[in-house]
Amino acid sequence: YVLNAMKVLEFVGKGRINRRNWKEIVSELGIPKSRYYYILRRLKALGLVYRDEDEYRLSSRFTTNLQKIAEYWEALKSRLEKS
């Protein structure tokens, strides 16, 4: 799945993924339709991609989430070290 997901991310970055061309992408990747949509759902859930009308685009939400987690961890770490 990881290699396929990386390829899908590459396609998203190049503007190749939209709701109409799934057959072309599935054929090029050599994967079943179900795996393709599973990968898109997982990438979307992680905040790596989002759908803008009919086209998928790369998202910055993942970066934002990681920054929030890092800030939370630093605050928790400081609090625990002071205890």
Side-chain angles (χ1 to χ4, degrees):
Y1 287 104
V2 173
L3 294 177
N4 293 140
M6 292 300 295
K7 196 67 171 170
V8 168
L9 282 172
E10 181 183 322
F11 289 171
V12 170
K14 292 179 179 178
R16 291 192 55 201
I17 306 276
N18 60 55
R19 295 186 71 177
R20 296 175 308 281
N21 71 344
W22 65 268
K23 287 181 184 177
E24 173 189 330
I25 302 299
V26 163
S27 175
E28 190 169 334
L29 293 174
I31 61 173
K33 177 182 173 183
S34 59
R35 184 178 302 168
Y36 170 71
Y37 280 106
Y38 174 82
I39 289 169
L40 276 178
R41 282 193 312 273
R42 298 284 38 101
L43 293 174
K44 195 173 172 187
L46 287 168
L48 296 172
V49 301
Y50 69 98
R51 195 172 78 212
D52 182 20
E53 299 199 17
D54 282 347
E55 191 170 312
Y56 284 87
R57 300 186 187 281
L58 298 177
S59 172
S60 296
R61 199 180 96 207
F62 183 74
T63 304
T64 303
N65 291 343
L66 287 179
Q67 288 170 339
K68 287 179 183 178
I69 290 168
E71 290 168 9
Y72 173 79
W73 172 247
E74 286 302 317
L76 178 61
K77 182 174 145 269
S78 292
R79 197 170 69 235
L80 292 172
E81 288 175 343
K82 291 178 183 176
S83 300

